[in-house]
Every structure is written in structure tokens, then in C-alpha cells.
Amino acid sequence: MKKLNGIKLKHRKNTENSVTVQFPVPETVHIPMSMTMGAPCQPLVKVGEDVHVGQKIGDTDAAFSAPVHSGVSGKVKSITDYRNAMGVVCKMVEIECDGLQTVSDEVKPPVVTDKESFIKAVRDSGACGLGGAGFPTHIKLNPKNEIDTLIINAAECEPYITADYREMMENPQDIIKGINMVKNQLGIKYAKLAIESNKPEAIKNFSEMANNDDSIDIITLPSAYPQGAEKVIIYNSTGRIVNEGSLPADVGVIVMNVSTVAFLYRYMQTGMPLVTRRLTVDGNAVREPQNVSAVIGTSFRDILEFCKADVESIIKLIAGGPMMGMSIPDIDMPVVKTSNALLAFNHYDERQTSSCIRCGRCVRVCPLGLMPADIDRAYKIKDIEELKKLKVMLCMNCGSCTYVCPANRKLAETNQLAKALIPRK
């Protein structure tokens, strides 16, 4: 089967053999009430209250959301407004840690007897897509359509990031058991664990583990970007096409990040919700690149100093990978549920933009066959009907077009601005 277009990147997996290091409990944590797609939560605690590890401190009645929990024990110091890197404002709970890490009485393995109680337990865990998108997992696992295939996304195609790879190397049993748990609870027949070819040891280990299980296929995908994008990994794993305006469930598929499925298995055994995050810390301003596990709410500054970064020299800070990550305006922003990497740079090449030379490279590399140069022209004249014809809403902002453009045009950025012009149904 022909694979979708993409680009070859220098993966720079400097930390692939760096065993995860536990970051010490900080003096204070700042926990935003919005860390996933969907509605923000409202604080369930007040200033001066004691909190414990695993305690739910934020929730909402909105269906499309996930609750927020504390990863530390201590006292609520303040509740303030917080603006994240996307400009979204929500409440933020500041907790002064007592260092005792007393576990809350709320933490106990959930009782799961059927699909409904399983979905409730998934929501109670606070789980979301740990690959960076932050889609609430209980919504994803409860589609209206019949699902026959579960795809576990273990591509991790972004440069630098090795957080999922360390999950695969350090907790492979949790992944396999998590896959079987989800399959059994949702009545899904088949599972595909899709891994990029640049992770041969992980492929070998999982192939041996799944050797006697006909319901789990270990798929080796070419090492190409953006292999881990949802529509791409679905097509390259199954041949199924997710059309514009459709969801993976519409073609009988659910896609889960490999770290998410492992976390869910552990939660069902222990009842400890999502309160920590493993993130890759790298970049030319970091003297000791490594994978760090920290409680949610730990400041980026503390993480960088732990990794011996020269914080005063940093001129570019990225949460996530360099292709689809988010530029961070404040080094004191906190680790959140979707934090899978922190990249700090003290120098980089700022490329100058020039006129389009109509070379067509952006078209050739687009996995979805879009025409970024034409979208760019239509956006400039605000031609909404033309943008619809050009299928701009299919763009997943992978950045491949920008990466290959010899004129250094910010095509992916323009695509996102163009999508904002299209009225939402």
C-alpha cells in the first residue's frame, strides 16, 4: 500500500537512551484548570485548604472536558487567572507543597463492571491524549459508531522528543495490558501498535510480546514526518481515509497515544489520576538533555535548571516538538497534561521570507494533498469560498509545507489563519 507524502527530518533523538529521571517535588505548583480540549474546570478548593496527592481540585459539568487533580500535598496558596500560550484564560490553583506527599483518600482503584462504568472511570482519571493534542480520552473511547480497530500511536515522529519511546522501553507490559483492557472493555476486535522504523529495539520487544496474540499487530511504519498525525497513521496502518469533517470513529477506528493507554492501565490498578508528566528536555541551551517525570504544575524554569540549562541565554522556548510545538512566552509557565517536551534554544537561524517561486514543493510533501501556495493567495484576498474549495479545513498544521519552502514562507501559519475565516457549523 502506498504511504502518504511526508518529509525526512533529522530526528535528533539525543535522549532516547536516557532513563526517565524523577524530578523532586517543588516548593510550589501552579495548576491550570484548563489543560485539555474542551471546557475549563472550576476550582473545587479554596485558599487556605489542605490538599493531598490525587485529590480532585477542579471539575465542570460540561461533557467535553476532564477533571484536574493535585500531584502534591500541601495548602492552597492562591487562586488566580491564568492565560496559556494559546491565549485562553482560566483559573489556576497555586499550592504550597508540604513535602509529605500524603495520598488522598479519594485514590482507590475504580470499580469497573461494564462499558459505562469503564468510561466513567476514564473520565475520573483526568486522562487526555498525551501525544500533545489533549483530547479528553473518555470522549474518544465512547463514540456512537461501531469500532473494529484500535490504533496505538507510537510513531513519535517529531525531532528531539523521546518521551513515548521511554514509555515503550520502561513500561512495555503496561502498554500491552492497557491495549487488551481497552479492547475488552469496548469490544474492539483488533489492535495495531504502530511504531516508526527508527525504533528497532521497541519493535523487537513488542513483536516478541505479541507473538502469541493474533488480535494485536505490531506495525513498522517508515520513519517520516508527520507519521504520527492521526489521519496519516490511520491511512498508513489500515488504508482507511478520514474525510473532511469526519472523525476516526466514522471509519471504525480509535487512535490512542501509547503513553495514554499505559497510564489508563495503571490508573485502573491504583486509582492514581493523571498528576505527573514525562517530558523530554533538550535543545542547545540545555547542558544535560534528559527525560524528566514531574508533577503537573511544576514550572518550566525549575525543569530547565534541573537539566542544567542556561536560562538567561534562552531566546526560543518550545513546548512540544519544533514542527508542531508551541512557542512559550514565559519560562515560569507550568507543566500541564499535554507537556511531552520542552526545547530551549540560545540560537537559531531566523530565515528571511521572499516571494513564492511556484516550485510546487509544498504540494508534493503535503500528506493530504493540499495546495498551500493557493491557500496563501486565497487567504490574502479573504476568498472564503475558494478556501473551502481548496479544503483548507483538512490542514492539520504539520508544518511540512513551511519546512520545505525555499522562499521561507510561513505557509502552515497562513493555513491556520485561513481556517479561522471559515464559519464553523
Side-chain angles (χ1 to χ4, degrees):
M1 182 178 70
K2 185 179 184 296
K3 299 295 189 283
L4 295 180
N5 293 337
I7 56 178
K8 294 290 185 181
L9 298 174
K10 292 181 179 179
H11 276 232
R12 305 183 190 278
K13 304 288 189 177
N14 306 316
T15 58
E16 64 181 354
N17 295 317
S18 300
V19 176
T20 306
V21 176
Q22 187 66 48
F23 184 82
V25 177
E27 294 182 1
T28 60
V29 292
H30 297 80
I31 305 178
M33 294 291 102
S34 178
M35 290 186 274
T36 67
M37 288 185 183
C41 293
Q42 294 301 315
L44 302 178
V45 292
K46 297 179 180 178
V47 174
E49 283 189 14
D50 291 328
V51 296
H52 300 109
V53 177
Q55 178 180 335
K56 185 163 65 172
I57 61 172
D59 206 348
T60 175
D61 292 332
F64 198 84
S65 187
V68 176
H69 304 80
S70 173
V72 299
S73 62
K75 191 179 295 290
V76 178
K77 186 176 180 181
S78 68
I79 297 176
T80 57
D81 288 333
Y82 169 74
R83 186 185 299 274
N84 67 18
M86 291 285 289
V88 176
V89 177
C90 66
K91 294 297 181 182
M92 181 168 66
V93 176
E94 180 183 5
I95 302 173
E96 193 170 45
C97 308
D98 59 18
L100 301 176
Q101 290 300 86
T102 306
V103 177
S104 170
D105 292 338
E106 298 176 10
V107 177
K108 56 187 70 173
V111 177
V112 175
T113 57
D114 54 16
K115 179 182 176 180
E116 184 179 357
S117 59
F118 176 70
I119 297 299
K120 180 182 182 301
V122 173
R123 186 190 188 282
D124 290 343
S125 76
C128 67
L130 299 182
F135 197 95
T137 304
H138 70 281
I139 300 291
K140 178 175 283 191
L141 297 186
N142 195 26
K144 296 178 181 178
N145 306 67
E146 184 175 345
I147 304 299
D148 60 48
T149 302
L150 173 68
I151 296 177
I152 303 302
N153 187 345
E156 199 165 46
C157 57
E158 277 265 15
Y160 293 98
I161 308 177
T162 62
D164 283 345
Y165 180 71
R166 291 316 310 170
E167 184 71 45
M168 288 188 275
M169 299 309 295
E170 296 172 26
N171 303 303
Q173 290 289 347
D174 291 353
I175 294 168
I176 293 295
K177 290 178 180 178
I179 293 171
N180 283 318
M181 176 187 72
V182 173
K183 281 172 58 255
N184 294 337
Q185 293 294 339
L186 302 186
I188 299 174
K189 292 182 180 180
Y190 307 107
K192 298 177 183 291
L193 177 57
I195 311 174
E196 269 198 327
S197 59
N198 64 344
K199 304 172 181 64
E201 191 172 351
I203 294 168
K204 178 177 179 291
N205 290 346
F206 282 108
S207 296
E208 292 174 354
M209 291 174 67
N211 187 45
N212 297 320
D213 190 342
D214 293 336
S215 68
I216 300 179
D217 289 334
I218 310 302
I219 298 177
T220 301
L221 295 175
S223 181
Y225 178 85
Q227 193 65 262
E230 196 167 61
K231 287 183 173 67
V232 175
I233 203 167
I234 289 172
Y235 180 81
N236 288 347
S237 299
T238 68
R240 301 178 192 181
I241 297 173
V242 181
N243 292 317
E244 183 181 14
S246 297
L247 296 171
D250 295 328
V251 296
V253 173
I254 287 176
V255 181
M256 292 184 71
N257 171 266
V258 67
S259 292
T260 306
V261 77
F263 159 74
L264 276 184
Y265 172 75
R266 290 192 289 269
Y267 172 75
M268 297 299 172
Q269 312 310 306
T270 66
M272 182 59 71
L274 182 57
V275 294
T276 62
R277 253 324 240 141
R278 179 195 290 109
L279 60 163
T280 300
V281 186
D282 205 341
N284 56 32
V286 179
R287 290 204 300 272
E288 294 183 7
Q290 56 190 305
N291 286 291
V292 177
S293 177
V295 294
I296 290 169
T298 303
S299 80
F300 287 150
R301 180 186 296 273
D302 288 347
I303 298 288
L304 289 165
E305 289 178 347
F306 180 78
C307 295
K308 303 296 190 293
D310 182 0
V311 296
E312 299 303 321
S313 71
I314 296 172
I315 60 174
K316 175 70 76 173
L317 186 61
I318 300 173
M323 296 298 291
M324 294 186 73
M326 183 72 63
S327 184
I328 299 299
D330 184 355
I331 195 173
D332 292 308
M333 294 179 79
V335 172
V336 295
K337 291 181 182 181
T338 54
S339 299
N340 61 353
L342 187 61
L343 308 180
F345 300 95
N346 53 28
H347 64 84
Y348 68 99
D349 295 329
E350 185 68 47
R351 303 188 298 175
Q352 296 299 311
T353 299
S354 57
S355 298
C356 175
I357 62 172
R358 307 296 293 165
C359 66
R361 293 183 190 179
C362 57
V363 178
R364 289 194 293 273
V365 301
C366 179
L368 302 181
L370 302 182
M371 303 178 71
D374 288 354
I375 292 172
D376 182 59
R377 283 204 310 277
Y379 170 72
K380 286 178 179 176
I381 61 175
K382 303 297 185 286
D383 189 339
I384 294 177
E385 291 306 312
E386 182 66 13
L387 289 172
K388 290 180 181 178
K389 291 178 183 178
L390 292 168
K391 302 291 184 182
V392 67
M393 296 304 292
L394 275 174
C395 176
M396 53 195 174
N397 202 33
C398 70
S400 298
C401 52
T402 298
Y403 183 83
V404 301
C405 179
N408 302 322
R409 302 184 68 78
K410 297 180 179 179
L411 297 169
E413 180 179 307
T414 300
N415 286 0
Q416 290 304 99
L417 294 170
K419 287 165 70 174
L421 294 179
I422 309 294
R424 301 299 176 102
K425 295 181 180 179

